[in-house]
Amino acid sequence: MSLYIGRETSKLWKRICAETTTEVNLLAENWKYILGGLICQYIHGVAARGVHYIHRPGPILQDTGFFLLPELGQERAYVSETVFSFVFLSFVLWTFHPFIFKTKKIYTVLIWCRVLSFLVACQFLRIITFYSTQLPGPNYHCREGSRLATLPRPDNPLEVLLIIPRGVLYGCGDLIFSSHMIFSLVFVRTYQKYGTRRFIKQCAWVIVVIQSLLIIASRKHYTVDVVVAWYTVNLVVFFVDRKLAELPDRSAAVLPLSKDVRMKEENVKHVNSNPGDSTDWRLRGQVNGKINEDSNIVHVDVLDSV
C-alpha cells in the first residue's frame, strides 16, 4: 500500500514539475498581459475609491427589486459575499487544475490572459458609468446618518491610493454596474466555453442568478446595477472573445500512429477505393502534426510524460 502511494506521489510530483515548466515558459512570453491586467485591477479599485469622496447620501431610490425581494438585513449581508467568494475561489482553483489532473484542456497563463482582458474591458465601461452619475447608495453604510457614507477630504495622496481593506469593503458611489456581477459572469462564461462538466456549467449559471437576487436583497446594489451588468458583461465578453486568438485545445491532440498501423489503414483505403476522401486527408494532417490555424499556438501536449 505504501509503495503504491509513493509511486502515485512521485507521478503527481513529476506532473506538477512538467506543468510548471510549461506555464513558466508561457508566463515569460505573456507576462506583459498579466501585469497589465493586474495594474488595471488596481486602477479600477482606485477609481472606485475616488468616487466615494464625491458620493452624497440621500433617500433610497424607488426600486422594483427592493419591492419584490425581502430585505435580508445588515446582519445577513455576508450571505451574498459568501456566494461570490465561492464562485471566485472555485474558478481560480479550476484554472490551476492542469497542475494536478491528467485531463488537461487549458493553459493557466493563457486562460488568465483572456479573463483579464474581459475584466479590463468591463471595468473600463464601469468606471465611465459610475463617474457619469452618482446615485445615493442603498447599502447600510452608504445611507444618511452613516459616518462612512462620505469620506473626508484626503490629507495626502496615499489615502486615495491605499484601497485595502476599507476601500474594498465599504465603498459607496460605484453602483452602475455591479463589480461582483462582472467577475461572476466573466468566470461563468469562461468555464462555459472551456470547462468539460456540463452539470457544473448548469449549476454555475443557477448560482449566478441566485447571487444576483442576493445582491439586491442585501441592498448592496439597485436592480438596475445587476440588470445592466447582465447584458453589458455578456456583450463585452462576446465581442472581445471574437477579437482574441483562440486558445489551443490540449485535449484535441492526436497520438501519432505507428508505421504498421498507417500501412494497414492505407491498404484498407485502397480496397475501399476512397483515395481522395476529405476526412482521410484531415486525419493525415493531424497525424503528421500539422495544425492549420492562424492563431499563435504556443504548446500542445501530445502525450502525457507521466
Side-chain angles (χ1 to χ4, degrees), residues 99-142:
F99 287 84
I100 306 297
F101 298 100
K102 292 182 179 180
T103 54
K104 305 170 184 177
K105 188 178 180 181
I106 63 170
Y107 295 96
T108 303
V109 171
L110 298 184
I111 202 72
W112 275 109
C113 287
R114 208 172 194 86
V115 167
L116 287 173
S117 65
F118 298 152
L119 293 177
V120 169
C122 293
Q123 290 166 344
F124 175 75
L125 294 177
R126 183 173 188 261
I127 292 173
I128 295 177
T129 306
F130 66 63
Y131 267 104
S132 300
T133 302
Q134 292 82 46
L135 304 179
N139 210 336
Y140 301 101
H141 64 270
C142 299

Side-chain angles (χ1 to χ4, degrees), residues 66-301:
F66 293 175
F67 176 75
L68 297 176
L69 296 175
E71 186 173 356
L72 291 180
Q74 191 171 4
E75 66 280 0
R76 298 185 182 88
Y78 68 90
V79 177
S80 63
E81 292 297 329
T82 301
V83 175
F84 173 75
S85 299
F86 173 76
V87 174
F88 188 93
L89 294 177
S90 299
F91 180 81
V92 172
L93 292 176
W94 172 75
T95 59
F96 285 92
H97 83 274
F99 287 84
I100 306 297
F101 298 100
K102 292 182 179 180
T103 54
K104 305 170 184 177
K105 188 178 180 181
I106 63 170
Y107 295 96
T108 303
V109 171
L110 298 184
I111 202 72
W112 275 109
C113 287
R114 208 172 194 86
V115 167
L116 287 173
S117 65
F118 298 152
L119 293 177
V120 169
C122 293
Q123 290 166 344
F124 175 75
L125 294 177
R126 183 173 188 261
I127 292 173
I128 295 177
T129 306
F130 66 63
Y131 267 104
S132 300
T133 302
Q134 292 82 46
L135 304 179
N139 210 336
Y140 301 101
H141 64 270
C142 299
R143 299 179 183 180
E144 292 180 306
S146 174
R147 61 183 181 87
L148 298 175
T150 302
L151 295 179
R153 185 182 181 87
D155 297 327
N156 54 74
L158 290 179
E159 293 187 16
V160 181
L161 299 177
L162 188 61
I163 60 176
I164 299 176
R166 182 178 294 270
V168 176
L169 299 177
Y170 298 102
C172 297
D174 56 328
L175 292 176
I176 301 178
F177 41 97
S178 171
S179 179
H180 285 63
M181 293 304 301
I182 290 178
F183 281 92
S184 298
L185 288 171
V186 167
F187 291 166
V188 171
R189 282 191 61 97
T190 302
Y191 185 81
Q192 177 70 32
K193 183 174 182 179
Y194 299 104
T196 57
R197 305 293 182 180
R198 182 180 179 183
F199 176 74
I200 297 180
K201 295 178 182 181
Q202 295 172 345
C203 290
W205 285 110
V206 172
I207 291 175
V208 174
V209 172
I210 294 175
Q211 179 187 314
S212 303
L213 300 178
L214 289 175
I215 289 175
I216 299 173
S218 300
R219 304 304 188 253
K220 295 181 178 180
H221 280 279
Y222 293 107
T223 305
V224 65
D225 307 335
V226 176
V227 172
V228 171
W230 267 97
Y231 64 74
T232 302
V233 176
N234 281 289
L235 287 173
V236 169
V237 173
F238 173 77
F239 286 107
V240 173
D241 186 63
R242 294 179 60 185
K243 297 297 182 180
L244 298 177
E246 188 53 71
L247 297 183
D249 188 354
R250 305 178 68 168
S251 63
V254 180
L255 297 179
L257 300 179
S258 64
K259 181 178 179 181
D260 295 336
V261 174
R262 289 199 302 268
M263 292 179 62
K264 183 177 180 180
E265 287 188 351
E266 289 180 0
N267 292 334
V268 174
K269 178 195 65 176
H270 289 301
V271 170
N272 294 332
S273 300
N274 290 323
D277 185 64
S278 59
T279 304
D280 179 70
W281 284 108
R282 288 197 298 268
L283 290 176
R284 282 190 175 192
Q286 293 176 348
V287 169
N288 293 332
K290 298 178 181 178
I291 303 176
N292 298 322
E293 292 184 11
D294 295 331
S295 59
N296 295 326
I297 296 180
V298 182
H299 175 75
V300 177
D301 288 345

